[in-house]
Amino acid sequence: MTSTSESTFIDRAVGRSFDRPLPAVAQYAAAVLVIVLMALARVLFLPASLPWLLFIPATIAITLTLSRGPGYVAACLSAALGMASILGPSHLGDLSQSQWTAGGLFLIVDLGLVALAGALRTSLAKARTLNASLAESERQALEREAFVSSVLASSTDCIKVLDLDGRLAFMSEGGQRVMEVSDFNTVAGCPWPDFWQGAANAEAVAAIGAARQGRAASFIGKADTFAGKSRWWHVAVSPINGPDGQPARILSVSRDITDLRASEQERDRFVRLAENSTDFVGMADTDGRVVYLNDAARRLVGLDDADGRSLTVADFFPPDQNEIVQKDVLPAVAAGGTWSGELSFRHFGTGKLIPVLYSVFPITDEDGALVGYGTVTRDYRDRKAAEDQLHLLNGELSHRLKNTLSIVQAIAIQTLGTADPAMLSAFSKRLNALSAAHDVLVKESWSAASLGDVARAALCSFDESHRFRIEGPDLTIGPRATLALSLLLHELATNATKYGALSVPDGDVAIAWSVAGTGADATLSLRWVERGGPPAIEPTRRGFGSRIIRMGLTGSGGVNLRYEEQGFTAEMSAPSSKCSRRSVPRYGTVNSDKASPRVGDRG
């Protein structure tokens, strides 16, 4: 126990001298002080026959804890003080020859011990440095091991080590998680290729063979997790070389690409859809350079598959329509919307114009930034031919209908003979109102008509037509509403001319309409307001004209008539779905997430 305590004390003292060394002057002063104290102790406690006993361990201790320089000084001082302590400092000349010889031998031995202790101190310093280096290396190794372990545990890849026969020797913690392995011991030593299905099994065997020969390999295959879930994997296999530079083991890293595979398959389906589509499908960069055209697109504009010319969006349009595309269409799409409307492509072989329904949408990256434009454009040649034919038929039908109305008018005049001329005039004007309504319908192939056009056509035959103020949003109405509105406005205008605001020079009539609500709940309202005429008086009897007015916009009522001092007012309303239809603009519509759909300007 005592030896261990002394050893520990010396170790601590020596270690402290390395960690916090004294200045050189202090080292030498300490050495002198210690030797002087040892000399006093010898005089006080030891006989003269043992003059050197305390100096040897003191000199060794000084050398170990300080350095060789203080040790050598301590050795010389020890020899001098030891000899002086034999007879006293004043009697050094009385020392015998043997005592001088003993003192010289002591000095030689003490100096030798100082040299040995100095060498020992140097060895201790090197050992201490080496131990610190080893400790630091061990710490770094532990940190690296912990880092690698955390990486393997955190990785979503399945990292495995195989022996040269392809049997599992190690699987990372993260790999066990993605493969749904609860205990690696249950699969350790299993042949790794057996986990793969179909052709992937042969590729796994081939990859192991390549790794044995020192080559890396990779493949994509399908394998089930240990919970039975089928997954797709990208696998990289490479050799792990031993000390001799030859493959000793095999590293296999498998990455789950099931979601990527699904997205690639979806992308492939879209590509096949685009390739097989009979519509024109194309893509262009933001600078207008065309980067993709499907086969149908090339056929439509007369481009051969081998035609490798560099095309831009502008090459597909005649100059006037290219201006529309550059100034209206592409900026609208770049702002976050889509555009659809009728334009014409230019045939690259013949130069003829091809009518198309041109639809453009933005192509964005994962951050939503615009990277290009896409289009799915439909050949409208057959449709345009059908529209031309329909327009021709409608014109013929309109001509025959007018002839029929003229015949009806002539028959009525001949039949009524000398009847009231006012009655004949009212009948003729009503027929003319119907004819005007038919003219408006013919323009849109009898499918719909602009409410504004219907109102203007119904009122233009009146001499006071300049006193009508017509305003309202662009709205299309169906054929039934067109005929009903034409007769209604004709009757209101007739009454205003006879009894209301148009019967005096300063009167006028305001016709306005609006739509409230959206979707199925939308309601169309129309107001007829007469001002500047005589006070409105409610009629005492109701004739045919009054019945037409009270039938409203769709023939089902919804009419409020007010006879007031300042003039007559009629308010009519009906569900928008019963009287309106959306029109298809000639040059297109812009749809944007930032604004409601609007009709594009005519080019």
Side-chain angles (χ1 to χ4, degrees):
M1 179 68 71
T2 302
S3 176
T4 302
S5 300
E6 292 175 353
S7 176
T8 302
F9 173 77
I10 294 173
D11 289 342
R12 289 179 179 176
V14 174
R16 185 181 179 86
S17 70
F18 286 125
D19 295 335
R20 287 184 287 182
L22 295 174
V25 174
Q27 290 181 10
Y28 284 99
V32 171
L33 179 60
V34 170
I35 296 303
V36 170
L37 291 175
M38 292 299 102
L40 290 175
R42 208 289 304 164
V43 172
L44 295 175
F45 303 110
L46 294 178
S49 58
L50 299 173
W52 326 110
L53 182 62
L54 296 179
F55 293 111
I56 293 177
T59 303
I60 294 174
I62 289 171
T63 304
L64 290 176
T65 56
L66 297 176
S67 64
R68 288 185 182 182
Y72 287 132
V73 171
C76 295
L77 186 58
S78 296
L81 292 179
M83 294 182 68
S85 67
I86 296 175
L87 296 176
S90 59
H91 300 285
L92 287 177
D94 298 334
L95 292 176
S96 63
Q97 183 67 34
S98 60
Q99 288 175 329
W100 281 105
T101 302
L105 291 174
F106 168 76
L107 179 59
I108 294 172
V109 171
D110 207 10
L111 291 173
L113 291 175
V114 168
L116 291 175
L120 178 59
R121 178 179 172 82
T122 301
S123 299
L124 289 174
K126 293 181 178 179
R128 189 177 170 82
T129 302
L130 180 60
N131 287 337
S133 177
L134 291 175
E136 177 63 19
S137 298
E138 184 178 2
R139 184 189 65 79
Q140 293 178 358
L142 291 174
E143 287 184 353
R144 285 194 298 270
E145 182 179 352
F147 175 74
V148 172
S149 297
S150 64
V151 169
L152 292 177
S154 303
S155 175
T156 57
D157 293 339
C158 183
I159 302 173
K160 301 168 290 296
V161 176
L162 317 175
D163 60 25
L164 293 180
D165 293 328
R167 298 181 181 277
L168 280 172
F170 167 80
M171 182 182 292
S172 65
E173 184 178 341
Q176 295 180 45
R177 190 164 53 249
V178 298
M179 282 296 294
E180 300 181 301
V181 176
S182 57
D183 183 6
F184 177 69
N185 292 325
T186 59
V187 296
C190 293
W192 176 67
D194 292 350
F195 295 109
W196 297 97
Q197 305 169 5
N201 179 272
E203 292 190 80
V205 172
I208 290 176
R212 287 199 199 100
Q213 298 174 8
R215 294 183 287 108
S218 63
F219 65 92
I220 294 175
K222 192 175 185 181
D224 293 340
T225 67
F226 284 85
K229 297 178 182 177
S230 183
R231 314 292 291 176
W232 282 93
W233 307 87
H234 178 272
V235 187
V237 180
S238 57
I240 301 176
N241 294 331
D244 59 355
Q246 297 299 315
R249 292 189 178 186
I250 299 172
L251 175 66
S252 169
V253 180
S254 304
R255 174 163 295 178
D256 186 354
I257 59 169
T258 304
D259 294 339
L260 178 61
R261 182 87 174 185
S263 64
E264 288 179 347
Q265 290 175 341
E266 183 177 1
R267 181 195 62 193
D268 291 342
R269 285 195 293 270
F270 277 112
V271 170
R272 289 194 297 271
L273 179 64
E275 289 293 345
N276 296 326
S277 174
T278 57
D279 289 333
F280 181 111
V281 179
M283 289 185 291
D285 288 337
T286 53
D287 60 0
R289 183 174 59 87
V290 176
V291 296
Y292 172 77
L293 291 174
N294 69 345
D295 293 340
R298 291 181 171 275
R299 288 194 299 269
L300 179 64
V301 297
L303 288 172
D304 296 331
D305 293 340
D307 194 330
R309 76 179 78 179
S310 178
L311 298 172
T312 65
V313 173
D315 295 328
F316 290 82
F317 299 96
D320 59 331
Q321 295 194 11
N322 179 56
E323 184 177 357
I324 296 173
V325 172
Q326 301 299 328
K327 292 185 177 180
D328 297 335
V329 177
L330 297 185
V333 174
T338 60
W339 192 94
S340 180
E342 293 183 30
L343 292 175
S344 295
F345 278 167
R346 180 177 62 83
H347 194 279
F348 284 89
T350 63
K352 293 182 178 179
L353 297 182
I354 305 169
V356 295
L357 178 62
Y358 186 54
S359 300
V360 190
F361 53 88
I363 299 175
T364 59
D365 60 15
E366 61 274 8
D367 296 325
L370 182 72
V371 295
Y373 304 96
T375 179
V376 178
T377 297
R378 180 153 296 176
D379 184 353
Y380 252 30
R381 284 178 293 188
D382 292 342
R383 177 176 176 136
K384 294 298 291 184
E387 287 180 352
D388 292 342
Q389 180 67 21
L390 182 60
H391 183 71
L392 179 63
L393 293 175
N394 285 334
E396 180 65 21
L397 178 61
S398 176
H399 177 69
R400 295 191 179 190
L401 180 60
K402 286 184 177 182
N403 288 340
T404 301
L405 290 176
S406 297
I407 293 173
V408 170
Q409 186 176 18
I411 292 174
I413 292 174
Q414 292 296 326
T415 301
L416 294 175
T418 59
D420 186 359
M423 182 184 301
L424 291 175
S425 176
F427 180 74
S428 297
K429 289 180 179 179
R430 285 167 180 161
L431 286 180
N432 291 335
L434 285 176
S435 178
H438 288 146
D439 287 341
V440 176
L441 284 172
V442 166
K443 294 180 181 179
E444 297 294 340
S445 303
W446 287 83
S447 62
S450 168
L451 195 155
D453 291 345
V454 172
R456 282 182 283 272
L459 301 174
C460 68
S461 61
F462 290 86
D463 295 336
E464 299 83 2
S465 59
H466 62 283
R467 293 158 66 185
F468 291 107
R469 291 185 289 107
I470 302 173
E471 60 181 12
D474 186 14
L475 182 70
T476 57
I477 57 178
R480 178 180 176 181
T482 297
L483 297 176
L485 181 62
S486 295
L487 290 175
L488 184 151
L489 293 176
H490 174 79
E491 296 301 329
L492 288 172
T494 299
N495 291 342
T497 302
K498 290 181 178 180
Y499 317 110
L502 301 183
S503 65
V504 297
D506 297 330
D508 60 36
V509 179
I511 304 102
W513 62 90
S514 62
V515 178
T518 58
D521 298 328
T523 301
L524 170 64
S525 299
L526 186 144
R527 299 181 77 244
W528 174 284
V529 181
E530 298 181 19
R531 292 293 181 266
I537 301 174
E538 185 173 359
T540 56
R541 67 181 185 86
R542 296 180 181 177
F544 178 74
S546 297
R547 289 195 296 272
I548 289 178
I549 293 173
R550 292 184 180 278
M551 290 175 64
L553 298 175
T554 59
S556 58
V559 179
N560 179 26
L561 306 179
R562 297 202 303 273
Y563 299 87
E564 301 169 327
E565 182 71 21
Q566 62 269 33
F568 172 74
T569 299
E571 295 178 342
M572 292 150 278
S573 63
S576 180
S577 59
K578 290 187 176 182
C579 57
S580 64
R581 294 185 182 180
R582 293 184 65 183
S583 63
V584 179
R586 177 65 57 186
Y587 268 140
T589 57
V590 177
N591 293 329
S592 174
D593 295 335
K594 303 175 182 178
S596 301
R598 64 180 178 85
V599 178
D601 296 334
R602 179 176 295 273

